[in-house]
Amino acid sequence: MDLQTLWFAAVALLWTGFLLLEGFDFGVAALLPVLGRRPADRHLMLRSIGPLWDGNEVWLITAAGAVFAAFPGWYATWLPALYLPFVLVLFGLIIRAVAFEWRHSHHTERWDSTWTHVVTTGSLIAAAGIGAALAATTLGLPIDGDGNRVGGAFAGLGWPALLGAVAVVGFSLVHGAVFLALKTDGPVRLAARAFARRWSPVAALPLLGWAGLVQLRSGTLLTGVLWLVAALAVAVTWARIRVDREGQAFAAWAVVLLGSAATVFGAAYPVVVPSTIDPAFDVTIRDASVSDYTLTIMTWATGIALPVVLAYQAWTYWVFRKRLSAEPPHAPAQPASA
């Protein structure tokens, strides 16, 4: 495997890792008004992602940084063509981070309600923006032979962007619900399980549709098999959540994303930004990458640093692995009678 292909695979893995990890905390935050019927339930839901959400966002920085470092031509075409969704992503991430911190600085019903809604809004905006940007990139942008967008600020935001936004939001909602069913106990667990059982088949359709369109355009037999694996994983998720096997359902739902993302990136390879104007204007990894010497240095640096980062994040998940409950674990001791 040449270094350009290796780094294309690395970028695909980083974006998939971001959607997989950040997806469930996007989903939990978005479900606060739906599943958090009591203040204690909403507090429990936020506790379930409290130690994890900011670490998950590192994957976004790493994915965007890898595109910039390894494929500056991709970055230079992609970012200017999709300024609007990326600005929305940054806005959503900023307001949700502020809301996470400020919500716990004061305790009144109105204060908690306001910042809870900001957490939800910011998460939905960020998830939709990421989905819009990735789908518009993989399904095609109106770029010319120099890699410049043709048209105004909204030229790249057609139906592919809308499909991607709905796909990532839908995936995140069910991902968050299955995570809550796995991570919590009590009323939240029951409500999350019911939500996932009801909506998982519907929520998977936009994601499978997005991957299917890329597959139909330029897929191979292998990517077709990966798409079928993703589709079958939807059925497994639904079947496992029906019998209260939350861990198996969570793993199966992760396979839905892994199979879909592998289909999208695998079928698109070696094109990183297809042009909707003329296929001759497509940006490929050969056009967009830096020199092999630079890729070699990046590969060695990544090989040393990445295992440390992955080990630290895995340790974080292990430390906070226990199931949470909104109720105190033990009733308060009664004073002894005289």
Side-chain angles (χ1 to χ4, degrees):
M1 180 185 295
D2 62 83
L3 288 174
Q4 292 169 335
T5 301
L6 176 65
W7 273 93
F8 177 82
V11 168
L13 182 62
L14 288 169
W15 279 112
T16 305
F18 168 72
L19 292 174
L20 186 63
L21 296 178
E22 189 77 341
F24 70 73
D25 70 59
F26 279 156
V28 170
L31 289 170
L32 284 168
V34 180
L35 305 182
R37 295 181 174 87
R38 303 178 302 164
D41 294 338
R42 293 190 290 273
H43 181 64
L44 173 63
M45 293 170 69
L46 290 172
R47 281 174 57 208
S48 72
I49 60 173
L52 308 173
W53 67 269
D54 49 352
N56 293 340
E57 289 184 358
V58 173
W59 285 76
L60 174 61
I61 300 170
T62 307
V67 174
F68 174 78
F71 302 104
W74 180 359
Y75 189 89
T77 298
W78 183 41
L79 195 64
L82 295 168
Y83 265 134
L84 187 57
F86 279 119
V87 168
L88 290 176
V89 169
L90 291 176
F91 174 73
L93 292 176
I94 289 169
I95 65 172
R96 80 191 289 263
V98 171
F100 273 127
E101 299 299 331
W102 285 15
R103 187 181 184 277
H104 302 295
S105 66
H106 188 58
H107 294 289
T108 65
E109 184 177 347
R110 183 176 181 181
W111 181 270
D112 288 351
S113 175
T114 298
W115 290 110
T116 296
H117 282 93
V118 174
V119 169
T120 297
T121 302
S123 299
L124 287 171
I125 290 173
I130 287 290
L134 290 176
T137 302
T138 53
L139 290 172
L141 288 169
I143 55 173
D144 60 22
D146 296 321
N148 299 317
R149 183 188 64 214
V150 176
F154 297 93
L157 299 180
W159 66 264
L162 178 60
L163 176 63
V166 174
V168 172
V169 169
F171 169 81
S172 297
L173 288 172
V174 174
H175 201 32
V178 180
F179 176 80
L180 285 170
L182 177 65
K183 184 68 175 176
T184 66
D185 209 350
V188 171
R189 181 185 183 185
L190 297 176
R193 190 190 298 157
F195 182 93
R197 185 170 58 246
R198 180 176 184 180
W199 292 107
S200 54
V202 178
L205 291 177
L207 183 61
L208 292 174
W210 170 11
L213 288 172
V214 181
Q215 168 65 20
L216 289 174
R217 185 189 64 200
S218 55
T220 64
L221 177 60
L222 175 59
T223 55
V225 171
L226 292 171
W227 187 90
L228 286 175
V229 169
L232 290 173
V234 178
V236 174
T237 302
W238 183 79
R240 293 291 86 192
I241 202 69
R242 279 177 58 85
V243 294
D244 305 338
R245 299 289 185 177
E246 294 103 339
Q248 295 175 12
F250 187 80
W253 192 248
V255 171
V256 175
L257 176 69
L258 294 173
S260 299
T263 301
V264 168
F265 285 103
Y269 175 85
V271 175
V272 290
V273 186
S275 172
T276 57
I277 297 175
D278 189 333
F281 300 155
D282 290 351
V283 179
T284 68
I285 59 172
R286 307 274 187 264
D287 306 323
S289 74
V290 294
S291 67
D292 284 350
Y293 176 75
T294 303
L295 291 177
T296 300
I297 295 175
M298 289 172 55
T299 302
W300 279 103
T302 303
I304 295 170
L306 186 60
V308 177
V309 175
L310 292 177
Y312 172 76
Q313 190 159 30
W315 176 80
T316 303
Y317 277 83
W318 176 257
V319 169
F320 295 102
R321 69 189 182 278
K322 292 184 178 180
R323 192 181 290 273
L324 303 175
S325 172
E327 308 300 335
H330 304 288
Q334 298 296 324
S337 57

